Amino acid sequence: MGLNTELMSSSMHIGTHIDALSHFTTENDNHWYNGFSGDRYSTNFGPAKCDIAPTPPMVMRGVLLDIAGYKGVTLIPNNYIATAEDCEGCAAWEGVTLEPGDAALVRLGNNWRTTAAAMRGRT
């Protein structure tokens, strides 16, 4: 008798996921969406307000919009905001139609290396 097994250790914040409205905080009181303060609404089991846990599983068609490819570059410049016009033009360029209920994955060419390098350059 034998056994093959694996162990994986990783952050919970990896892979395809949907961020909750409590994912990012801002300003001195560390509040997130709708003014909920992290000091008051963060718990050992996650946020008490605006958590993603109640969201049911979703199954839908996914469409990749390669904005960097559409614009003919490897990497979209830092701080560029992809617009609705970019997405519509890219879809036409790719020959795809976005339908109600589709999930769009928008590729800008950024990755963890380019993002980390850009953040190190900030003052």
Side-chain angles (χ1 to χ4, degrees):
M1 179 179 274
L3 173 68
N4 291 309
T5 188
E6 304 84 27
L7 171 67
M8 181 177 158
S9 177
S10 180
S11 162
M12 298 267 301
H13 197 249
I14 63 167
T16 303
H17 65 280
I18 300 172
D19 283 329
L21 294 173
S22 59
H23 186 63
F24 288 100
T25 62
T26 189
E27 305 203 13
N28 291 335
D29 65 347
N30 292 319
H31 74 273
W32 56 76
Y33 175 79
N34 228 5
F36 294 113
S37 165
D39 294 339
R40 181 166 181 197
Y41 293 103
S42 289
T43 74
N44 290 338
F45 302 102
K49 297 284 187 180
C50 302
D51 187 12
I52 200 68
T55 303
M58 296 178 223
V59 177
M60 63 199 68
R61 183 179 83 128
V63 177
L64 172 65
L65 297 177
D66 183 3
I67 302 294
Y70 167 62
K71 294 197 171 276
V73 298
T74 303
L75 174 67
I76 295 293
N78 289 330
N79 298 320
Y80 180 84
I81 298 172
T83 65
E85 290 79 16
D86 289 331
C87 294
E88 291 165 359
C90 182
W93 175 74
E94 291 177 350
V96 298
T97 303
L98 295 171
E99 301 292 338
D102 286 350
L105 176 64
V106 179
R107 179 186 169 274
L108 301 175
N110 302 70
N111 60 47
W112 67 270
R113 286 187 182 109
T114 60
T115 301
M119 291 180 77
R120 281 192 300 274
R122 291 185 182 167
T123 57

